[in-house]
Amino acid sequence: MLKLKAVEIFASSSAFPSSTQNYKHRIPIRITQTLFALHPNPSFKHFPSIAMASPSATSNDTSSSPSPSLHSAGDVQKIKFCQWCGGTTKHDIPEGEERLRAICTTCGKIAYQNPKMVVGCLVEHDNKVLLCKRKIEPSYGLWTLPAGYLEIGESAMEGAIRETREEANADVEVISPFAQLDIPLIGQTYIIFLAKLKKPHFSPGAESSECQLFSLDEIPFSSLSFSSMVVTLNLYVEDMKAGKPKFHYGTINKRPGTSPSDINAFTLEDHMQS
């Protein structure tokens, strides 16, 4: 049975419409559309598309997610020379493809641009989570989970453990995957793991000015570094309020032209949990 229902709600709760509690530092949200359907995988549940707004936002905010046409192959026009032979490139759509590419005029090779994978850990300790204050741009001075780009030759889990060690001088044991969040407009995919400290020791790494454990009610939602952190920590708080963490998948659609530090300029779509 398939049942469609459109709703519009403006609240100060979480991304989950069933919650009736207001939590400290939570961000107002608008639920713009809800789809209830039988999914091929019954262990996953669909949730509404969520448009995050600043505390001063009003219900007549009509901003929406970018259309698929805005999802380009990256800054292909900036690729002027071939990475293999050094020849100049032309910009054209190769036969059988749909996107503009940089094609070498000498050797004919095509430069394909692919998304970057960001991996990190949501570290739990004594019912608190470990956050790092960034000492580098972008988002200097704002709080984040320890995370960074995956390196060639390591698994996503290995990369997440390494980033946690580099940014928080913390040795952790991964418990389970927690979230995969795709950000098509900027070409990034986040994979966040739940982890625990092997020893209760941590300190700022080279890219952090502070490291601190926060209880759920103390998480500085107004001072987080990126939209991905807002989504991840909101989902985690809601899971813990409900009893236990789940696994989440979602697409963060950034509004074109917004900076990484504009943490509320997005919608969360295709949200599933198991």
Side-chain angles (χ1 to χ4, degrees):
M1 181 175 69
L2 179 68
K3 180 168 65 175
L4 297 176
K5 182 179 180 182
V7 299
E8 185 169 348
I9 303 172
F10 193 72
S12 296
S13 61
S14 70
F16 297 91
S18 60
S19 175
T20 59
Q21 292 178 289
N22 275 333
Y23 301 124
K24 186 178 180 181
H25 302 307
R26 304 318 298 274
I27 299 172
I29 61 173
R30 174 178 296 152
I31 301 173
T32 56
Q33 184 180 18
T34 306
L35 171 64
F36 298 98
L38 290 179
H39 190 265
N41 184 348
S43 65
F44 278 87
K45 296 181 180 179
H46 282 273
F47 284 87
S49 299
I50 303 299
M52 301 304 261
S54 64
S56 60
T58 59
S59 59
N60 60 4
D61 181 4
T62 59
S63 58
S64 61
S65 61
S67 65
S69 62
L70 293 173
H71 297 160
S72 68
D75 294 329
V76 65
Q77 298 282 3
K78 294 182 178 180
I79 303 176
K80 304 296 184 182
F81 301 96
C82 176
Q83 61 180 307
W84 293 278
C85 74
T88 58
T89 61
K90 65 177 181 179
H91 300 96
D92 202 354
I93 300 175
E95 184 178 355
E97 299 193 21
E98 298 178 349
R99 297 188 179 216
L100 192 69
R101 309 289 187 185
I103 307 170
C104 181
T105 58
T106 301
C107 69
K109 290 186 177 180
I110 302 172
Y112 289 96
Q113 296 175 292
N114 303 109
K116 295 284 189 178
M117 183 175 289
V118 180
V119 293
C121 287
L122 198 166
V123 182
E124 304 171 306
H125 184 72
D126 288 342
N127 297 316
K128 297 181 179 181
V129 297
L130 179 64
L131 298 181
C132 301
K133 181 175 284 189
R134 290 176 62 84
K135 199 169 67 174
I136 58 173
E137 295 290 357
S139 301
Y140 180 94
L142 299 178
W143 293 95
T144 182
L145 296 171
Y149 290 118
L150 183 67
E151 299 282 3
I152 297 294
E154 63 183 3
S155 69
M157 186 174 72
E158 290 170 340
I161 292 172
R162 173 185 53 76
E163 286 290 341
T164 304
R165 184 172 59 252
E166 290 178 355
E167 297 188 7
N169 288 311
D171 289 324
V172 298
E173 177 184 344
V174 166
I175 301 170
S176 67
F178 175 69
Q180 177 182 336
L181 301 170
D182 296 335
I183 314 179
L185 192 64
I186 60 175
Q188 292 183 356
T189 289
Y190 277 73
I191 296 181
I192 303 297
F193 294 88
L194 289 179
K196 62 181 181 181
L197 292 172
K198 291 183 178 180
K199 297 180 180 179
H201 303 302
F202 55 86
S203 62
E207 298 181 356
S208 306
S209 59
E210 295 179 44
C211 293
Q212 185 176 333
L213 289 169
F214 291 89
S215 67
L216 300 188
D217 292 333
E218 295 172 339
I219 294 173
F221 279 98
S222 62
S223 301
L224 294 178
S225 55
F226 305 111
S227 301
S228 54
M229 299 296 106
V230 175
V231 173
T232 300
L233 288 167
N234 265 291
L235 293 174
Y236 177 75
V237 169
E238 288 306 320
D239 283 357
M240 298 311 292
K241 297 290 185 180
K244 64 178 182 179
K246 304 177 180 67
F247 176 74
H248 298 268
Y249 170 81
T251 300
I252 297 175
N253 278 324
K254 296 283 291 184
R255 296 176 192 166
T258 57
S259 69
S261 60
D262 191 350
I263 62 174
N264 300 315
F266 72 94
T267 58
L268 175 62
E269 300 181 358
D270 305 320
H271 177 214
M272 296 181 285
Q273 69 177 31
S274 64

